[in-house]
Amino acid sequence: MTNSLSLGRLNGSVRITECLEFATGGSRVIICHCRGVNDRKVRKAVDKGARTIDEIGDVCGAGTRCGGCHPALAELLAARTGQPVEQIYGIRVAVA
């Protein structure tokens, strides 16, 4: 049986990369609850060339239903590719 940790929806105060630090010892973190896609499948999609949330969805199905996982997908994509999360997710950041 594979260990699995359910992340739930992010509220902006918790970063997916911080949560993944707790997923050690072979655990998988469910990123997309609607499609049952874990962090390893998302990483594999990025390794296969996915560079947008839509492309991740095309490869593994994550993010293709309700969209609640889009912030987590953007953060994983940013961590894997070095792209800014704001660019991936289209977040508008206020400049003071």
Side-chain angles (χ1 to χ4, degrees):
M1 177 181 240
T2 302
N3 293 330
S4 184
L5 171 69
S6 177
L7 180 63
R9 289 184 180 226
L10 297 178
N11 64 10
S13 64
V14 178
R15 300 194 67 84
I16 183 73
T17 50
E18 293 171 0
C19 293
L20 289 175
E21 291 176 13
F22 295 103
T24 59
S27 296
R28 290 170 176 85
V29 176
I30 301 298
I31 301 299
C32 176
H33 288 272
C34 296
R35 301 291 184 205
V37 179
N38 63 50
D39 63 304
R40 291 182 186 181
K41 289 181 182 177
V42 172
R43 287 188 179 117
K44 285 181 184 178
V46 175
D47 291 345
K48 289 180 180 181
R51 291 296 177 265
T52 66
I53 293 171
D54 287 339
E55 289 175 358
I56 290 172
D58 291 342
V59 175
C60 68
T64 60
R65 191 159 183 195
C66 81
C69 61
H70 285 191
L73 292 173
E75 191 170 330
L76 282 172
L77 186 56
R80 205 72 166 174
T81 64
Q83 296 178 58
V85 173
E86 298 83 5
Q87 178 183 344
I88 294 165
Y89 194 54
I91 298 171
R92 295 194 188 342
V93 179
V95 178

